[in-house]
Amino acid sequence: MRRTAPRRIGLRRDMGDALRLRHDRRRRFPILVLFAALMSLIVSSPTLAASRPIKLVAFGDSLTAGYRLPADAAFPAVLERMLKAKGRDVSIANAGVSGDTTTGGLDRLDWSVPDGTDGVILELGANDMLRGTDPAIARRNLTAMLDQLKARGIPVLIAGMQAAPNLGPDYRAKFDAIFPDLAKRYGLILYPFFLEGIIGDAGQHLDDGLHPNTKGVETIAARMLPTVERFLDTLRTKAER
């Protein structure tokens, strides 16, 4: 059967459209290449890399975990909220385990601090002290943790602890010295005493007299906030290099 004229016209129109499309693609190709190159530069720029949320891990015992408190009232959640209120783009994972000692912390460090972590707030030692464990053991375990995190390139903020007076002056001197000594040795930021501001205040403790209540956690986080911000600034500086 002979083809009709309209079909030939349609064919020529289709071919013309295809040729114009190819021509348009050729004209757009350099623009697309330029756009892709610009996007590559932007994504790889230190400024943009530094603008992503900073990921912290709060690694500790019940004081970090939020013993007998709602999840949103635990120290990591409260500190994160305070930092965000000040315009800090940060997330803080709660890696606290109630009852944990420095020995237990060392055992679980690797899987508790995932790859991609930008910094760790290390709060351990209180349970070693409450059990009267030789301070040399806590020092050795904390040193091993710091060595592991250093090997992974993860900066640390040390939250110190102090021994109870009833343990005697010799024990207190050995235990209390652990945290400033390690901070100096590794060149780390130190918050000297995690429970600063609530010790002796029953209104900021649970009925066990040991753990902070919601008000106590708010006090701890607020007092620690400037130190954590200084820590975050060091992480930003590192990311921009």
Side-chain angles (χ1 to χ4, degrees):
M1 181 180 296
R2 194 185 308 173
R3 293 182 178 176
T4 63
R7 290 183 63 85
R8 288 197 298 273
I9 292 171
L11 179 61
R12 286 197 296 272
R13 183 183 295 116
D14 292 343
M15 291 178 65
D17 290 343
L19 289 172
R20 281 195 298 274
L21 181 60
R22 289 176 62 187
H23 181 67
D24 290 344
R25 283 176 175 170
R26 286 173 182 171
R27 288 198 311 176
R28 290 200 305 265
F29 181 72
I31 298 174
L32 291 173
V33 171
L34 179 60
F35 178 76
L38 288 172
M39 287 302 296
S40 177
L41 288 173
I42 291 171
V43 169
S44 61
S45 78
T47 301
L48 187 63
S51 69
R52 66 169 177 78
I54 288 182
K55 298 178 181 179
L56 300 182
V57 171
F59 186 77
D61 48 39
S62 56
L63 299 175
T64 291
Y67 178 72
R68 287 173 52 188
L69 299 178
D72 62 357
F75 169 73
V78 173
L79 180 61
E80 179 182 307
R81 185 175 72 245
M82 290 182 177
L83 288 167
K84 286 183 174 179
K86 298 197 70 175
R88 299 280 187 167
D89 192 7
V90 60
S91 65
I92 306 179
N94 189 339
V97 173
S98 294
D100 215 0
T101 62
T102 57
T103 300
L106 179 59
D107 289 342
R108 67 182 178 90
L109 181 66
D110 280 342
W111 58 265
S112 295
V113 180
D115 291 339
T117 297
D118 295 306
V120 168
I121 299 174
L122 179 58
E123 175 278 307
L124 277 173
N127 287 313
D128 296 69
M129 178 267 296
L130 291 173
R131 298 178 184 187
T133 303
D134 185 346
I137 295 175
R139 181 183 287 269
R140 183 169 63 244
N141 288 333
L142 289 167
T143 299
M145 284 184 250
L146 293 175
D147 284 338
Q148 289 185 26
L149 292 169
K150 182 179 180 181
R152 294 174 60 187
I154 301 176
V156 177
L157 185 161
I158 300 180
M161 184 54 56
Q162 295 179 3
N166 63 335
L167 291 171
D170 184 59
Y171 187 96
R172 291 186 68 186
K174 291 179 180 178
F175 183 86
D176 292 1
I178 294 173
F179 306 94
D181 285 354
L182 291 178
K184 182 177 180 180
R185 173 179 172 182
Y186 288 89
L188 305 178
I189 291 177
L190 169 70
Y191 184 72
F193 184 33
F194 186 77
L195 297 175
E196 184 68 41
I198 73 167
I199 291 295
D201 185 349
Q204 298 195 77
H205 283 80
L206 297 175
D207 55 13
D208 62 8
L210 294 174
H211 296 91
N213 55 21
T214 54
K215 182 180 179 181
V217 172
E218 294 279 342
T219 297
I220 292 170
R223 282 178 170 264
M224 197 168 176
L225 187 62
T227 303
V228 177
E229 287 197 280
R230 184 157 56 94
F231 180 55
L232 291 176
D233 288 340
T234 66
L235 301 183
R236 285 291 189 204
T237 301
K238 179 181 177 182
E240 291 168 1
R241 287 175 182 169

